[in-house]
Structures are given as C-alpha cells and as structure tokens.
Amino acid sequence: MRKLASIILFLAAVSNSLGQSKNSPLQISHLTGDFYVYRAFNDYKGTKISANAMYVVTDKGVVLFDAPWDKTQFQPLLDSIKAKHNKEVVMLFGTHSHEDRAGGFDFYKKKGIKTYSIKLTDDILKKNNEPRAEFIISNDTTFTVGNHTFEVYYPGKGHAPDNIVAWFKKEKILYGGCFVKSAEAVDLGYLGDADVKEWQKSIKKVQAKFKKPDYIISGHDDWTSKESLNHTLKLVDEYLAQKSAGKK
C-alpha cells in the first residue's frame, strides 16, 4: 500500500507540473489542498541541482517555507502565486542559514513580506554579514495564519546547526527542508556545516514528535516519497558506521 501511495503521489505531482517545461527555472506542483511544492535550480560544483520549497495558501495570504535557490526566480515566484491564487505572500520562513533557504530574506523583506528565522540562524547570518530575517522566533513555535495552523520546530543539529522543520498536524505534512534527504539520495551530500552524530538524534526526535506523516518534503531532488525521513536516518547510520569502522 505504501508503494502504491507513493506512485499515486508521484503521478499527481507529474500531472500537476504539466504545462511547465522540464527546463523551466521555476516549477510549481500541487501537493494537496492548499499546499504547493516549488522547485528552483542552481549549479553546485558544475552540476545543476534542484532545491525544493513549499508554500501554503491561506485566507490571510500565502506563507512561504524557504526562498528559491535561484535569485532570478524571487520575483517570478511572487508573480506566479499572484496569477494562480490571486493572493499576496505575507510570510517567509527560512529553515536554516544556507543560501538555498535564507537567501531571499533581503528581497522579500523589501517587498513588505514578514520574514522569520530562529535565533541560531540569525546568529549565523549576522556573523557572516548576510541579510537576516525581520522576526526571530523561538525554537518551537505554533502559528495560525488564517485557516491554517502549523508548528515550526528545531530538533537539534543535523545538516546544519540551525535546521528547522515545519509540521501541519491536520494535513500530516512535514516540511523537512535540507534536514531531510530525498529517498533517492545515495549519500548525505554537503556536510560542511553538518553534525552527523547529532543529526541521528535529531531525526529520532522528529519521528517521535510528528508521527506518521502523509507527506514529507525533502530539500533536494525527488520529494514524493513518505520514506525520505527513514532513508535519511539510514544514510546517517551508514555514515556513522563507516566512520566508526575507519577508526578501528
């Protein structure tokens, strides 16, 4: 049944992306209800890499979780949302300090959009002399925006020292950002700011706190599998086992 559900979700994503070229720099797919996943691209070490983000349409405006990795798509995203939903973006949450997540703070703040991060993210951006969010939130905060309620949660270090996730309890949607690797990932990717030992603990905290999600949105590559969080833990376990074996 799980495999069937994953196939159905994948086909739905494909059908909802029709009309957008595979080469389109901004691709928007319907997830469920008022939720949409959008994908932008950038070059990483000479390879074109996708970055997934999400938005939810509320009756008080649209809430973004992370900005497009490609800065040229900051405005096209706003234009696409306005054309598709006839609503303005009112809030943006950056799920950690890396450019593919927090890179839009300055642009969107200037557009009058409220921008949010936790203090850990703000401290890193301040230290690096990079644009910061307008509002600092605590590590575990519940928001209600119009007809939608969600929890923003810091589970601990992982891919980055400041990575947060967002949970929509009613819809059972976990937005993981780069804290969650795609189910098709073969390794943990960029580990320049990672703490893999803590990542293992942090994943288990998320699994205990947000049980049986129906949708899990990973930060990169395919986002349609419900197994991506389990797969991330598997990759973390394998990495730590290899490190441990190397020390013997």
Side-chain angles (χ1 to χ4, degrees):
M1 283 298 290
R2 280 189 171 184
K3 279 190 175 180
L4 178 60
S6 293
I7 292 169
I8 291 169
L9 178 57
F10 175 75
L11 292 174
V14 170
S15 66
N16 279 292
S17 297
L18 292 178
Q20 299 175 60
S21 165
K22 285 184 179 179
N23 297 318
S24 174
L26 180 68
Q27 299 171 6
I28 301 175
S29 302
H30 183 226
L31 180 63
T32 184
D34 294 326
F35 295 81
Y36 295 80
V37 175
Y38 68 91
R39 173 178 282 188
F41 302 83
N42 216 323
D43 285 333
Y44 178 67
K45 294 183 178 180
T47 302
K48 192 177 183 181
I49 304 292
S50 66
N52 307 319
M54 188 179 80
Y55 69 82
V56 56
V57 182
T58 82
D59 54 19
K60 297 293 184 182
V62 174
V63 180
L64 295 181
F65 294 89
D66 293 324
W69 194 5
D70 180 355
K71 293 180 180 180
T72 69
Q73 298 308 303
F74 287 172
Q75 185 61 46
L77 176 62
L78 298 183
D79 295 341
S80 296
I81 288 171
K82 180 68 174 176
K84 189 176 184 67
H85 309 290
N86 195 30
K87 288 185 181 289
E88 305 293 339
V89 174
V90 294
M91 302 170 79
L92 164 66
F93 291 84
T95 58
H96 67 272
S97 65
H98 291 167
E99 186 182 16
D100 59 338
R101 303 295 144 187
F105 279 158
D106 189 51
F107 179 89
Y108 290 115
K109 191 158 51 170
K110 287 175 179 175
K111 291 286 181 179
I113 297 167
K114 294 178 179 179
T115 54
Y116 297 82
S117 78
I118 61 170
K119 188 176 185 301
L120 279 170
T121 299
D122 187 64
D123 288 343
I124 293 168
L125 293 173
K126 183 179 180 180
K127 180 182 176 182
N128 294 337
N129 197 29
E130 294 173 352
R132 298 150 63 193
E134 182 180 3
F135 299 100
I136 308 304
I137 59 175
S138 63
N139 288 352
D140 191 358
T141 308
T142 298
F143 290 84
T144 297
V145 184
N147 55 322
H148 284 286
T149 297
F150 56 93
E151 182 177 355
V152 176
Y153 175 64
Y154 173 66
K157 297 176 182 179
H159 164 78
D162 57 322
N163 43 213
I164 58 175
V165 300
W167 171 249
F168 289 79
K169 182 178 180 180
K170 181 181 176 183
E171 297 84 2
K172 290 191 171 295
I173 296 172
L174 177 68
Y175 177 74
C178 297
F179 179 78
V180 178
K181 301 296 295 181
S182 169
E184 66 182 11
V186 295
D187 57 39
L188 293 173
Y190 175 71
L191 294 175
D193 297 315
D195 187 325
V196 184
K197 269 191 177 180
E198 290 300 314
W199 200 346
Q200 186 182 54
K201 298 174 188 175
S202 300
I203 291 170
K204 290 177 181 178
K205 284 183 185 176
V206 169
Q207 289 175 321
K209 188 173 177 66
F210 307 127
K211 298 182 185 299
K212 297 182 179 178
D214 287 336
Y215 306 92
I216 304 174
I217 309 304
S218 58
H220 297 277
D221 302 316
D222 177 65
W223 48 267
T224 58
S225 173
K226 294 201 311 188
E227 293 302 313
S228 53
L229 189 59
N230 289 332
H231 182 65
T232 306
L233 182 58
K234 177 175 175 284
L235 292 175
V236 165
D237 289 343
E238 289 173 351
Y239 178 91
L240 292 174
Q242 288 170 4
K243 282 286 186 181
S244 178
K247 288 179 180 178
K248 293 176 181 177

